Amino acid sequence: MAITKKPLLLLIILAYFLIISVVVAQRETSPSQQTRLQEARQCRLQRLTATQPNQRIQSEGGVTELWNEFEDQFQCAGVAAMRNIIQPNSLSLPNFSPSPRLVYIEQGQGLLGLSHPGCAETYHSGQQYKSPREGSSPRGQQGQQSQRDQHQKVHRIRRGDIVALPAGVAHWCYNDGNEQLVAVSVSDLNNNANQLEQKLRSFYLAGGQPQKSMQIQQQQGQHRETFQNIFRAFDENLMAEAFNIPVDVVRRMQQEDERGLIVRVKGEGMRMIRPEEEEEYEQSYQSRRNGLDEVYCNMQIRQYLDNPKEADVYSRQAGRLNIVNSQKLRILNYMDMSAEKGNLYPNAMHTPHWTLNAHSIVYVTRGEAHVQVVGSNGQRVLDERVNQGNLFVVPQHFVSTIRAGDNGFEYVAFKTSGQPMKSPLVGYTSAFKAMPIQVLTNSFQISSQEAQSLKYNREHHTMLLPPRTGSSS
Amino acid sequence: MAITKKPLLLLIILAYFLIISVVVAQRETSPSQQTRLQEARQCRLQRLTATQPNQRIQSEGGVTELWNEFEDQFQCAGVAAMRNIIQPNSLSLPNFSPSPRLVYIEQGQGLLGLSHPGCAETYHSGQQYKSPREGSSPRGQQGQQSQRDQHQKVHRIRRGDIVALPAGVAHWCYNDGNEQLVAVSVSDLNNNANQLEQKLRSFYLAGGQPQKSMQIQQQQGQHRETFQNIFRAFDENLMAEAFNIPVDVVRRMQQEDERGLIVRVKGEGMRMIRPEEEEEYEQSYQSRRNGLDEVYCNMQIRQYLDNPKEADVYSRQAGRLNIVNSQKLRILNYMDMSAEKGNLYPNAMHTPHWTLNAHSIVYVTRGEAHVQVVGSNGQRVLDERVNQGNLFVVPQHFVSTIRAGDNGFEYVAFKTSGQPMKSPLVGYTSAFKAMPIQVLTNSFQISSQEAQSLKYNREHHTMLLPPRTGSSS
Amino acid sequence: MAITKKPLLLLIILAYFLIISVVVAQRETSPSQQTRLQEARQCRLQRLTATQPNQRIQSEGGVTELWNEFEDQFQCAGVAAMRNIIQPNSLSLPNFSPSPRLVYIEQGQGLLGLSHPGCAETYHSGQQYKSPREGSSPRGQQGQQSQRDQHQKVHRIRRGDIVALPAGVAHWCYNDGNEQLVAVSVSDLNNNANQLEQKLRSFYLAGGQPQKSMQIQQQQGQHRETFQNIFRAFDENLMAEAFNIPVDVVRRMQQEDERGLIVRVKGEGMRMIRPEEEEEYEQSYQSRRNGLDEVYCNMQIRQYLDNPKEADVYSRQAGRLNIVNSQKLRILNYMDMSAEKGNLYPNAMHTPHWTLNAHSIVYVTRGEAHVQVVGSNGQRVLDERVNQGNLFVVPQHFVSTIRAGDNGFEYVAFKTSGQPMKSPLVGYTSAFKAMPIQVLTNSFQISSQEAQSLKYNREHHTMLLPPRTGSSS
């Protein structure tokens, strides 16, 4: 009898074992927050991939597309990437982020406003307002304010611009054009400016992630924190007192709505807030260059990155590179980020090179190319054709090369340094050219002639290489 | 018989299971070092709380009270807070910390000495000493030294002062007043100056945590490293040789005693080392502003933070803010910290705002207030009345507002940036006021009149808002 | 029967328990990647040890010896140490590292070349080359290039030099002397320049870790990433096109060979690339001090650290300290590292002291000494005799003292700050001397006379103390 019962006992025990084992295993291997944090800043990448966004937040006036920030390549670089598509006559609602962000305007045009704390409102919208509170207001200069709407500078942004959004500064964007405004952006989560943890977030003053999309996220086990409204959570009476407005206005302002992050503008649109011509702005700049105004309030936040005449590297046969770094756009000194636009002619190459002091996040804006990246493990971690809309990371010191396809190739590369330095293997400024011939012959067991070829066959080229023709090989 | 024995076997097995389970669970879920490190820099706070110190180290001449540095809010901000209460005629023993520390003198007065390495001793105590080694000494200028005690500058500190203690600089503090000296301080563990890990520590040259309190700590599973004597551990003969003093003196210096971190001064007190009047110091400053002296040795380390005439923000109806940042106190450039003192009149408000580039650690010095903080999850993470002696963290970018109670409210806020920037939602420099009317109407689905009110009803106020009166609403 | 079988059952169960326990324990305590990361930056060291390298990579022309970077002391300091021994007429192959590195030349001499991207090649080797491509080349200035080999400056390095290798800059080193070139180096993995994780790595343009040594490493469960060739992994056709050279040359360049990281130079050696005399270099410096050249391309990268006439601290009875910091060698401003050479006479002492802003990695170059280090736990974490070839870490703020043996003691200390500050307990600039007598008497419960001795008995000494003689005690 004892014998017959023992197997049962054994079974119970084994079942218990099994449960324990599973519990222990789960605890240790679940892709929890902690695991992610542990893996953060791990750059032992076996494989990079050119990827598309994997999450989509549909709003009334557009779409926000997010790349998976927990992918190894983004964790290694400490960045998050997204693409906003704003419909004509639509407004991306005011928000701010804990990390600095660079935006590339891939298509369309719009108006961008930043609320720099401590900077004066010296711009006016042309529209005439009738003061709603005449007589009841304690203000003396009522007259003027009722005439024009005072606010901070509104920036015109256009296709090809790089736009710098400093950490913590509230901003909004309005598409006043006739086509979709497409903006690709990279946030440097690992930046010194971010004292919160390495995580993509935006704090919305109005709107916020629609309930629908959050439910989907939750089903996928993702966190709810990415785009949150921080105005709604405050007590309505406290806000009414703070703003000195009726509590029912606050209540309406705090109302949940399903318009999301981007809203359609009611009525005739916001064309009246269009900024005057660039020239006028530049002029007003000159006259007020002093004190805080000069260093902060009037800082340029955008630069056109696609002007062939301003190319930093230009090759008649291979293409051009346009760079915006902290020397050209001073605000990048504070953000420690920069960007490069590359236009490669059909079958041209970007030399194999590494970046000494920055990760590069490359977004393909046109065409296709064959990209190879060699990692710290001495293996090809990326070796594929990349196409328009793809994005991939080239970590610091990883060696990469790009060979444009038959229709050429265009990209924008976001960098995690305000003054990135590239070290090419080939060309006028190459690492090999800086070495004596004998170092090369002994390093590679090649002849002096071959070493000479290695050093000098591309010496008239910098960064960009024309397709090899029969005559020169 | 087998049957009767099986339950026993089962019991043994189950007992074993239980033990294993407990061991495994403990290993994995105990608030161990590793878990803490994993959680460090996690700012997904569900709940903040205004807290009191949870640990108390009783010394002969006073008390050291520590807030629990492993609380989420402190881990997120990378700071540790403590309050020292030094009895009259008592001395806080010489020690240094791996992290920079800002101290607010809540009550009383005292003398503070810092040992800047590489700075000359140019101050003398008035007391006359008879040289103990006349004749036997190899020194030539014996005469002068036997007259006066040479040492570095001693600083007068008083209620309302902010005092800057750089990382690694040994300091001591003596209460020469008639009441308790109460000093509240925040250490920025996450500061670049700290190359050790994020952990509160002080290295004591004399004294140290009493055995009693350490035993309590150990029972609570806490680490023993917080306040350690680093002189006692050295070999006595080595020290005797180093100082060229008899080994029995070293032995006495190394003796464990139960006086703790703060000791009662024997006899008539140390009043003779009182520094001369401030004016004289200031004068001597002017004359020696050159070289290293200028940039380092003579740097001011304190500033009075409660002078109504020097208020940075002043409102006749609402109160005032006094700020000490790296522009006012140059040593804060090196420490990347700063502080703000707020005095709010009864029922006045601090506008809802976020700080762009710093965490804020708020300590309540008087009165009570209703505080709301909204976090990155879009929820109220703090919503409670805070009272004198409470301390709470407002993480970077989290939006907070304070409404003073019927007796007003005073606080000191420590910041993890030498030049913090606040972005208010309300008032002259508010984010909303910087936006065109149409952005507000479309963001919140409100009328132009309502948007006007939102922008302008508080336009004559900055940061501080008077209580709402019937007339203006 | 049941009784006889139960023990068997019990045994089975217990065996199973044992297995599970072991599995669980292994999972939790294995030196896996995650565990290492968790432990990184943990400085609660119970025990430091002066250690020797534990890994050895044999190459054709020398040996690379590595200290175990996963030892607690290196993890705490965020550094990795290694020693390269290059045979005469051998070449350390071109490579670059993600972290800045300081090198001390312990023995021998050599030539060092760095490939600064963006700097011109203005130096020539004397050797005459016949152009391999005359007639077929598209270059106009063919004439000159075929005469002399143009390359960047080659630096002479000699025994006693400190050499600065910035992150990401490719470099090679050739031993043109008659004895082994021994170079000890420390990489600051935790430096801001390194955006990859805290891990020692070098990227080799030629050569690489031999398969043999990697197999050994793998057997030991170590990672394969330390020294990898990043040229071999690229597609041969892509490289042929990039360099515009025949594909079979690329194929030979990419061939795996067992020569390793250091290769023997074929034939008569590379003596023709010897740089001209130092003086000439200095001269050419003066004339071209402008623009980028000045700030970057012509920056000195080496300084002799053993010149008695340039000692920063000198004592006739005790020895001397030579320091190279960012004020003396400007490139250290960018690297935030520095070094100190100490020469102690027999039985002399380095005062007990702590370093305010840096970890110190101490390598013993000659003699032996008794070293004591007291840690943040208030315990002696190091208390042993150290000998030539030993290396140990003194973490930031830990207090250490060195007492030279009967034959004196020499060391080089690498520091993780460009401008380190030491705070001594003893001597002219000591923490105690900066304090009033009464602070000392009350701190240590000693008499005024004893406090006087404590302050003044060593007041004529700075950092270095002569052996105590009978007369002065």
Side-chain angles (χ1 to χ4, degrees):
Chain A
M1 201 179 151
I3 300 168
T4 53
K5 278 203 177 158
K6 248 180 290 170
L8 183 71
L9 175 64
L10 205 64
L11 267 173
I12 291 167
I13 290 167
L14 286 177
Y16 191 89
F17 275 137
L18 227 77
I19 291 161
I20 275 205
S21 308
V22 168
V23 166
V24 168
Q26 262 188 336
R27 270 191 194 163
E28 289 181 337
T29 61
S30 77
S32 73
Q33 216 164 291
Q34 292 187 7
T35 311
R36 272 194 228 106
L37 189 71
Q38 286 166 12
E39 286 165 6
R41 319 284 307 123
Q42 290 285 348
C43 291
R44 286 192 204 101
L45 302 167
Q46 297 302 315
R47 189 100 213 114
L48 294 167
T49 355
T51 54
Q52 297 278 354
N54 80 328
Q55 195 191 339
R56 195 183 150 85
I57 300 169
Q58 181 72 50
S59 299
E60 184 195 53
V63 179
T64 305
E65 299 175 318
L66 299 164
W67 273 265
N68 179 7
E69 66 173 295
F70 300 115
E71 246 181 50
D72 284 352
Q73 58 182 336
F74 299 118
Q75 289 285 313
C76 164
V79 300
M82 66 176 169
R83 185 165 53 201
N84 275 293
I85 300 167
I86 305 175
Q87 298 297 335
N89 198 30
S90 293
L91 172 74
S92 171
L93 291 170
N95 71 89
F96 62 91
S97 295
S99 310
R101 184 182 294 175
L102 277 193
V103 186
Y104 177 74
I105 309 301
E106 192 179 358
Q107 182 190 299
Q109 66 166 46
L111 300 171
L112 180 80
L114 275 74
S115 297
H116 288 294
C119 300
E121 290 80 37
T122 50
Y123 293 87
H124 306 86
S125 290
Q127 202 190 21
Q128 307 265 331
Y129 284 106
K130 182 134 179 61
S131 166
R133 296 173 291 105
E134 261 184 54
S136 73
S137 157
R139 282 174 296 125
Q141 309 121 300
Q142 179 75 27
Q144 208 199 331
Q145 266 121 15
S146 67
Q147 301 291 318
R148 314 187 81 192
D149 177 32
Q150 279 199 323
H151 52 78
Q152 287 188 14
K153 184 181 173 180
V154 171
H155 304 261
R156 160 66 64 205
I157 56 174
R158 283 195 195 87
R159 178 192 178 124
D161 278 349
I162 276 285
V163 182
L165 299 179
V169 174
H171 56 267
W172 52 268
C173 181
Y174 171 60
N175 180 352
D176 69 340
N178 298 316
E179 57 177 341
Q180 289 183 336
L181 169 58
V182 180
V184 179
S185 64
V186 167
S187 296
D188 186 8
L189 309 179
N190 195 40
N191 196 282
N192 277 337
N194 181 20
Q195 297 190 16
L196 302 178
E197 83 268 39
Q198 185 179 307
K199 170 92 181 69
L200 178 67
R201 279 173 181 161
S202 289
F203 295 72
Y204 275 78
L205 301 182
Q209 202 162 341
Q211 288 298 332
K212 284 176 301 191
S213 76
M214 289 204 294
Q215 282 155 8
I216 295 168
Q217 264 188 292
Q218 277 179 296
Q219 285 162 13
Q220 294 168 353
Q222 289 169 325
H223 296 281
R224 291 187 43 164
E225 289 196 13
T226 309
F227 304 108
Q228 293 299 319
N229 184 308
I230 43 89
F231 184 72
R232 283 183 193 142
F234 278 105
D235 178 80
E236 57 190 29
N237 291 308
L238 218 52
M239 287 303 104
E241 180 167 353
F243 285 97
N244 195 13
I245 56 175
V247 73
D248 71 274
V249 176
V250 173
R251 217 169 284 149
R252 263 184 293 136
M253 288 171 70
Q254 292 185 332
Q255 219 158 16
E256 288 260 354
D257 67 67
E258 288 297 312
R259 296 183 304 161
L261 309 172
I262 305 167
V263 303
R264 213 167 293 134
V265 166
K266 294 285 177 296
E268 47 176 323
M270 304 204 290
R271 295 209 179 75
M272 62 292 295
I273 58 163
R274 168 177 295 194
E276 298 90 65
E277 293 304 304
E278 291 291 324
E279 288 71 36
E280 296 184 32
Y281 279 107
E282 297 306 327
Q283 200 175 17
S284 63
Y285 267 31
Q286 304 304 328
S287 58
R288 281 172 303 110
R289 287 192 170 264
N290 51 49
L292 178 73
D293 274 358
E294 202 253 333
V295 295
Y296 187 72
C297 294
N298 286 320
M299 230 179 246
Q300 274 284 11
I301 60 146
R302 55 155 291 282
Q303 176 143 335
Y304 184 54
L305 201 56
D306 220 356
N307 191 341
K309 289 181 192 157
E310 292 173 354
D312 295 83
V313 172
Y314 176 73
S315 158
R316 211 149 41 100
Q317 303 114 42
R320 60 188 161 87
L321 300 179
N322 285 48
I323 292 163
V324 52
N325 58 22
S326 59
Q327 290 188 319
K328 294 190 189 169
L329 193 59
R330 284 165 53 215
I331 201 169
L332 297 182
N333 266 318
Y334 299 85
M335 293 173 54
D336 206 20
M337 297 183 77
S338 60
E340 172 187 295
K341 180 82 196 322
N343 288 35
L344 272 66
Y345 294 159
N347 303 312
M349 273 184 92
H350 190 301
T351 62
H353 70 281
W354 67 93
T355 303
L356 274 72
N357 53 351
H359 300 296
S360 303
I361 297 89
V362 183
Y363 177 76
V364 182
T365 53
R366 205 189 59 74
E368 65 159 22
H370 182 193
V371 177
Q372 280 197 351
V373 180
V374 172
S376 58
N377 57 357
Q379 311 289 323
R380 261 178 238 171
V381 290
L382 180 65
D383 183 11
E384 56 184 59
R385 297 203 81 76
V386 299
N387 300 293
Q388 187 172 338
N390 280 169
L391 187 139
F392 59 94
V393 172
V394 182
Q396 186 192 25
H397 297 121
F398 281 38
V399 187
S400 67
T401 188
I402 297 171
R403 191 181 186 286
D406 292 338
N407 299 310
F409 182 65
E410 292 181 23
Y411 67 88
V412 59
F414 303 86
K415 313 250 176 176
T416 60
S417 163
Q419 194 72 39
M421 280 192 287
K422 291 203 279 191
S423 192
L425 278 179
V426 180
Y428 182 65
T429 59
S430 83
F432 287 156
K433 187 146 171 287
M435 295 174 194
I437 288 284
Q438 288 188 303
V439 171
L440 296 175
T441 57
N442 281 287
S443 293
F444 293 113
Q445 299 182 290
I446 55 178
S447 70
S448 289
Q449 277 91 337
E450 288 162 344
Q452 287 263 58
S453 303
L454 204 61
K455 285 185 71 166
Y456 297 119
N457 276 8
R458 289 294 203 178
E459 71 166 321
H460 296 297
H461 301 287
T462 302
M463 296 299 168
L464 299 182
L465 307 170
R468 181 152 69 156
T469 55
S471 64
S472 67
S473 66
Chain B
M1 205 177 149
I3 301 166
T4 54
K5 277 202 177 160
K6 250 180 291 170
L8 183 71
L9 175 64
L10 204 64
L11 268 174
I12 292 168
I13 291 167
L14 284 177
Y16 191 89
F17 274 138
L18 226 76
I19 291 161
I20 274 206
S21 307
V22 168
V23 166
V24 167
Q26 262 188 334
R27 270 192 193 163
E28 290 182 337
T29 61
S30 75
S32 74
Q33 219 162 288
Q34 292 187 8
T35 311
R36 272 194 229 108
L37 188 71
Q38 287 166 11
E39 286 165 5
R41 320 284 306 122
Q42 290 285 348
C43 291
R44 286 194 203 100
L45 302 167
Q46 297 302 316
R47 189 100 212 114
L48 294 168
T49 355
T51 54
Q52 297 279 354
N54 81 327
Q55 195 190 340
R56 193 182 153 86
I57 300 169
Q58 181 72 50
S59 299
E60 185 195 53
V63 180
T64 304
E65 299 176 319
L66 299 165
W67 272 265
N68 179 7
E69 66 173 296
F70 302 115
E71 246 180 50
D72 284 353
Q73 59 182 335
F74 299 118
Q75 290 286 314
C76 164
V79 300
M82 65 177 169
R83 183 163 55 199
N84 273 294
I85 300 168
I86 306 175
Q87 297 298 335
N89 198 30
S90 293
L91 173 72
S92 171
L93 291 170
N95 71 88
F96 62 90
S97 295
S99 309
R101 183 183 295 175
L102 276 193
V103 187
Y104 177 74
I105 309 301
E106 192 179 358
Q107 182 189 298
Q109 65 165 47
L111 300 171
L112 179 81
L114 276 74
S115 297
H116 287 295
C119 299
E121 290 80 37
T122 50
Y123 293 87
H124 305 86
S125 290
Q127 201 188 25
Q128 305 265 332
Y129 284 107
K130 182 136 178 59
S131 166
R133 295 173 293 103
E134 260 182 55
S136 74
S137 157
R139 281 174 297 125
Q141 308 122 298
Q142 179 75 26
Q144 207 198 332
Q145 266 121 18
S146 67
Q147 302 290 319
R148 315 188 79 191
D149 177 31
Q150 280 201 323
H151 52 77
Q152 287 188 14
K153 183 181 174 181
V154 172
H155 304 262
R156 160 65 64 206
I157 55 174
R158 281 194 197 88
R159 177 190 176 123
D161 278 350
I162 275 284
V163 182
L165 299 179
V169 174
H171 55 268
W172 52 268
C173 181
Y174 171 60
N175 181 352
D176 69 340
N178 299 316
E179 57 177 341
Q180 288 183 337
L181 169 57
V182 181
V184 179
S185 63
V186 167
S187 297
D188 186 9
L189 309 178
N190 196 39
N191 196 282
N192 277 338
N194 181 20
Q195 297 190 16
L196 302 178
E197 82 269 40
Q198 185 179 306
K199 169 91 183 68
L200 178 67
R201 278 172 181 162
S202 290
F203 295 71
Y204 275 77
L205 302 182
Q209 202 163 341
Q211 289 298 332
K212 284 176 300 193
S213 77
M214 290 204 294
Q215 281 155 9
I216 294 168
Q217 263 188 293
Q218 278 179 296
Q219 283 161 16
Q220 294 169 353
Q222 290 171 323
H223 294 280
R224 290 188 43 166
E225 289 196 13
T226 309
F227 303 107
Q228 294 299 318
N229 185 306
I230 43 89
F231 184 71
R232 284 182 194 144
F234 278 104
D235 179 79
E236 57 190 29
N237 292 307
L238 218 52
M239 287 303 104
E241 180 167 353
F243 285 96
N244 195 15
I245 55 175
V247 74
D248 70 275
V249 177
V250 173
R251 218 169 283 149
R252 264 184 293 136
M253 288 170 69
Q254 292 186 332
Q255 220 157 15
E256 288 260 356
D257 67 66
E258 287 299 311
R259 297 183 303 162
L261 310 172
I262 305 167
V263 303
R264 212 168 293 131
V265 166
K266 294 283 177 298
E268 48 176 324
M270 304 202 291
R271 297 215 175 71
M272 60 294 294
I273 59 163
R274 168 175 295 193
E276 299 90 65
E277 293 306 303
E278 291 290 325
E279 289 70 36
E280 296 184 32
Y281 279 105
E282 296 307 328
Q283 200 175 18
S284 64
Y285 267 30
Q286 303 304 328
S287 57
R288 281 172 304 109
R289 286 191 170 264
N290 52 49
L292 178 71
D293 275 358
E294 202 255 331
V295 296
Y296 185 72
C297 295
N298 287 319
M299 231 179 246
Q300 275 284 11
I301 60 145
R302 55 154 291 282
Q303 175 142 336
Y304 184 53
L305 201 55
D306 220 357
N307 191 340
K309 289 181 193 158
E310 292 173 354
D312 295 84
V313 172
Y314 175 74
S315 158
R316 211 149 41 100
Q317 304 113 42
R320 60 188 162 85
L321 300 179
N322 285 48
I323 292 162
V324 52
N325 58 22
S326 58
Q327 290 189 319
K328 294 190 189 170
L329 193 59
R330 282 165 55 217
I331 201 169
L332 298 182
N333 266 317
Y334 298 86
M335 293 173 54
D336 206 19
M337 296 183 78
S338 60
E340 172 188 295
K341 181 82 194 323
N343 288 36
L344 271 65
Y345 295 159
N347 303 310
M349 273 184 91
H350 190 301
T351 61
H353 70 282
W354 67 94
T355 303
L356 274 70
N357 53 349
H359 299 296
S360 303
I361 297 89
V362 183
Y363 176 76
V364 182
T365 54
R366 205 189 61 74
E368 65 160 21
H370 181 193
V371 177
Q372 279 196 352
V373 180
V374 172
S376 58
N377 57 358
Q379 310 290 322
R380 262 178 237 172
V381 290
L382 180 66
D383 184 10
E384 56 183 61
R385 297 202 81 75
V386 298
N387 300 293
Q388 187 172 338
N390 280 169
L391 187 139
F392 59 95
V393 172
V394 181
Q396 187 191 26
H397 297 123
F398 281 38
V399 187
S400 67
T401 188
I402 297 172
R403 192 182 185 285
D406 292 339
N407 298 309
F409 182 66
E410 292 182 23
Y411 67 87
V412 57
F414 303 86
K415 313 249 175 177
T416 59
S417 164
Q419 194 71 39
M421 280 193 286
K422 291 203 279 191
S423 193
L425 277 180
V426 180
Y428 182 64
T429 59
S430 84
F432 287 157
K433 185 146 171 288
M435 295 174 195
I437 288 284
Q438 288 188 304
V439 170
L440 295 174
T441 57
N442 281 286
S443 292
F444 293 114
Q445 299 181 290
I446 53 178
S447 70
S448 289
Q449 276 92 336
E450 289 162 343
Q452 286 262 57
S453 305
L454 203 62
K455 284 185 71 166
Y456 297 119
N457 276 7
R458 290 293 203 178
E459 73 166 320
H460 295 296
H461 301 287
T462 301
M463 296 299 168
L464 299 182
L465 307 170
R468 180 153 68 158
T469 55
S471 65
S472 67
S473 67
Chain C
M1 203 177 145
I3 300 167
T4 52
K5 278 204 177 159
K6 247 180 289 167
L8 183 72
L9 174 64
L10 205 63
L11 269 173
I12 291 167
I13 290 168
L14 285 178
Y16 192 89
F17 274 137
L18 227 77
I19 291 161
I20 274 208
S21 307
V22 168
V23 166
V24 168
Q26 263 187 336
R27 269 193 193 161
E28 290 181 336
T29 61
S30 77
S32 74
Q33 216 164 290
Q34 292 187 9
T35 310
R36 273 194 229 107
L37 189 71
Q38 286 167 11
E39 284 165 6
R41 318 285 307 123
Q42 289 286 347
C43 290
R44 286 192 205 101
L45 302 167
Q46 297 302 314
R47 190 99 212 115
L48 294 168
T49 356
T51 54
Q52 296 279 355
N54 81 328
Q55 195 191 337
R56 194 182 151 85
I57 301 169
Q58 182 72 50
S59 298
E60 184 195 55
V63 179
T64 305
E65 298 175 318
L66 299 165
W67 273 265
N68 178 7
E69 66 173 295
F70 301 115
E71 248 181 49
D72 284 352
Q73 57 182 335
F74 299 118
Q75 289 284 314
C76 164
V79 301
M82 66 176 169
R83 185 163 54 201
N84 274 294
I85 300 167
I86 306 175
Q87 298 296 336
N89 198 31
S90 292
L91 173 73
S92 171
L93 292 170
N95 71 88
F96 61 92
S97 295
S99 309
R101 184 183 294 175
L102 277 193
V103 187
Y104 177 74
I105 308 302
E106 192 179 358
Q107 182 189 297
Q109 65 165 45
L111 299 171
L112 179 80
L114 276 73
S115 298
H116 288 295
C119 301
E121 290 79 38
T122 51
Y123 294 87
H124 306 86
S125 290
Q127 200 190 24
Q128 306 266 332
Y129 283 106
K130 182 132 177 62
S131 165
R133 296 174 293 105
E134 263 183 53
S136 72
S137 157
R139 282 175 294 127
Q141 308 122 298
Q142 179 75 28
Q144 209 199 329
Q145 267 121 16
S146 66
Q147 302 290 320
R148 316 187 80 191
D149 177 31
Q150 281 200 322
H151 52 76
Q152 288 188 14
K153 184 181 174 181
V154 172
H155 304 262
R156 161 64 66 205
I157 55 175
R158 282 194 196 87
R159 177 191 179 122
D161 279 349
I162 275 285
V163 182
L165 299 179
V169 174
H171 55 268
W172 52 268
C173 180
Y174 171 61
N175 182 351
D176 69 340
N178 298 316
E179 56 177 342
Q180 289 183 338
L181 169 58
V182 180
V184 179
S185 63
V186 168
S187 296
D188 186 7
L189 309 179
N190 195 39
N191 196 282
N192 277 336
N194 181 20
Q195 297 189 16
L196 302 177
E197 83 268 40
Q198 186 179 304
K199 170 91 182 69
L200 178 67
R201 278 172 182 162
S202 289
F203 295 71
Y204 275 78
L205 301 182
Q209 201 163 342
Q211 288 298 332
K212 284 176 299 192
S213 77
M214 289 204 295
Q215 282 155 8
I216 295 167
Q217 262 189 292
Q218 278 179 296
Q219 285 161 15
Q220 295 168 352
Q222 290 171 324
H223 295 280
R224 290 187 45 167
E225 289 196 14
T226 309
F227 304 107
Q228 293 300 319
N229 184 308
I230 43 89
F231 184 72
R232 283 183 193 141
F234 278 104
D235 178 79
E236 57 190 29
N237 292 308
L238 217 53
M239 287 303 105
E241 180 167 352
F243 285 96
N244 195 14
I245 55 175
V247 75
D248 72 276
V249 177
V250 173
R251 218 169 283 150
R252 265 184 292 136
M253 289 170 69
Q254 292 186 330
Q255 220 157 16
E256 288 259 356
D257 67 67
E258 288 298 311
R259 297 183 303 161
L261 309 172
I262 307 166
V263 302
R264 212 168 293 132
V265 165
K266 293 285 177 295
E268 47 176 324
M270 306 203 289
R271 295 208 179 75
M272 60 294 294
I273 59 163
R274 169 176 295 194
E276 297 89 66
E277 294 305 303
E278 291 289 327
E279 289 70 36
E280 296 184 31
Y281 279 106
E282 297 307 329
Q283 201 176 16
S284 64
Y285 267 32
Q286 304 304 329
S287 57
R288 279 172 303 110
R289 285 190 172 265
N290 50 48
L292 178 73
D293 274 359
E294 203 254 332
V295 295
Y296 185 73
C297 295
N298 286 321
M299 232 180 245
Q300 274 284 11
I301 60 146
R302 55 155 290 284
Q303 176 142 336
Y304 183 54
L305 201 55
D306 220 356
N307 192 342
K309 290 181 192 157
E310 292 173 355
D312 295 83
V313 172
Y314 175 74
S315 158
R316 211 148 41 99
Q317 303 113 43
R320 59 187 163 85
L321 300 179
N322 285 47
I323 292 162
V324 52
N325 58 22
S326 58
Q327 290 188 319
K328 293 189 187 170
L329 193 58
R330 281 166 53 218
I331 201 170
L332 298 182
N333 266 317
Y334 299 85
M335 293 173 54
D336 205 20
M337 297 182 78
S338 60
E340 171 188 294
K341 181 81 195 324
N343 287 38
L344 272 67
Y345 295 158
N347 304 310
M349 273 184 91
H350 191 299
T351 62
H353 71 281
W354 67 94
T355 303
L356 275 70
N357 53 350
H359 300 295
S360 303
I361 297 89
V362 183
Y363 177 76
V364 182
T365 54
R366 204 189 60 74
E368 65 160 21
H370 181 192
V371 177
Q372 279 196 350
V373 180
V374 172
S376 58
N377 58 356
Q379 311 289 323
R380 263 178 237 172
V381 291
L382 180 67
D383 183 11
E384 57 183 60
R385 296 203 81 77
V386 299
N387 300 293
Q388 187 171 337
N390 280 169
L391 187 139
F392 58 95
V393 171
V394 182
Q396 186 192 25
H397 297 123
F398 281 39
V399 187
S400 67
T401 188
I402 298 172
R403 193 182 184 284
D406 292 338
N407 298 309
F409 182 66
E410 291 182 24
Y411 66 88
V412 58
F414 303 85
K415 313 248 177 178
T416 59
S417 164
Q419 194 71 39
M421 280 193 286
K422 292 203 279 192
S423 192
L425 278 180
V426 181
Y428 182 64
T429 59
S430 84
F432 287 157
K433 186 145 170 288
M435 295 173 194
I437 288 285
Q438 287 188 305
V439 171
L440 296 174
T441 58
N442 282 286
S443 293
F444 293 112
Q445 299 181 290
I446 54 178
S447 70
S448 289
Q449 277 91 337
E450 288 163 344
Q452 287 263 59
S453 304
L454 203 63
K455 284 185 72 167
Y456 297 118
N457 276 7
R458 289 294 204 178
E459 73 166 320
H460 296 297
H461 301 288
T462 301
M463 296 298 168
L464 299 182
L465 306 170
R468 180 152 67 156
T469 56
S471 64
S472 67
S473 67

